[in-house]
Amino acid sequence: SVWLQVARDVEEVLGTFDAGDRDAFRDAWQRVIPAERQAAPEGRALELRLEAYFATYSIRQILQDGREPEEQQLQALDAFRDFLSERGKDEAGGNETLMPLFALPFVQHPHKHPDVRQVFSQDWLQDLRKDVEAELRLQQ
């Protein structure tokens, strides 16, 4: 049934999200979310947040283990910096809540910096996951 397929899609996308698997997530997301929805301002804003999430995934794991990320681990933010330089300006669309994300790859020790450390919080992560799930459910 269609409903069962949608439920499987939701589980697959959320599973790749939880695992921090950017490539598998992107493949599943592209398959499930229509291109026009992805290109809409809300879709682009969500993509910006998702890029920040995947760029900080390994750092978040290190912090959860009670360790401090080393310089080489913080280099995971380089891909996010590249994303921002290529497409970032279009993604924010004047949304003030997204502005701290633009500083993320340029700040030393972002997990400690008052302007961007919320990206490493459970609240930020749960809000993003809720928004991803809500976007998926819109496709039902």
Side-chain angles (χ1 to χ4, degrees):
S1 85
V2 172
W3 187 87
L4 193 57
Q5 184 58 49
V6 169
R8 279 192 203 117
D9 288 342
V10 169
E11 287 305 310
E12 177 187 357
V13 173
L14 290 176
T16 60
F17 176 88
D18 293 339
D21 189 339
R22 173 191 271 136
D23 293 336
F25 176 88
R26 190 174 287 139
D27 290 346
W29 188 258
Q30 301 286 343
R31 193 180 70 249
V32 175
I33 306 296
E36 62 273 6
R37 183 74 187 150
Q38 292 177 42
E42 304 83 19
R44 293 197 326 265
L46 185 55
E47 182 182 12
L48 177 65
R49 293 169 59 210
L50 285 164
E51 289 292 331
Y53 164 76
F54 286 115
T56 57
Y57 185 84
S58 61
I59 299 167
R60 189 177 292 103
Q61 299 300 110
I62 292 164
L63 292 169
Q64 285 176 349
D65 290 344
R67 297 178 295 138
E68 276 293 307
E70 297 172 17
E71 200 58 44
Q72 72 194 55
Q73 293 156 329
L74 292 171
Q75 288 174 355
L77 294 171
D78 289 349
F80 187 58
R81 183 183 304 126
D82 294 343
F83 171 82
L84 290 175
S85 67
E86 290 169 24
R87 306 203 350 242
K89 292 174 194 70
D90 300 333
E91 308 304 309
N95 185 336
E96 292 292 315
T97 62
L98 298 177
M99 297 319 275
L101 297 180
F102 287 84
L104 186 62
F106 301 100
V107 172
Q108 289 259 324
H109 308 290
H111 57 290
K112 295 179 179 177
H113 195 281
D115 292 334
V116 295
R117 69 176 171 224
Q118 84 274 4
V119 174
F120 297 92
S121 73
Q122 276 303 115
D123 287 345
W124 189 87
L125 175 61
Q126 289 169 349
D127 287 346
L128 177 58
R129 192 180 193 283
K130 257 190 293 187
D131 291 347
V132 166
E133 187 169 0
E135 188 66 33
L136 292 167
R137 302 245 179 246
L138 278 176
Q139 305 314 311
Q140 291 183 338

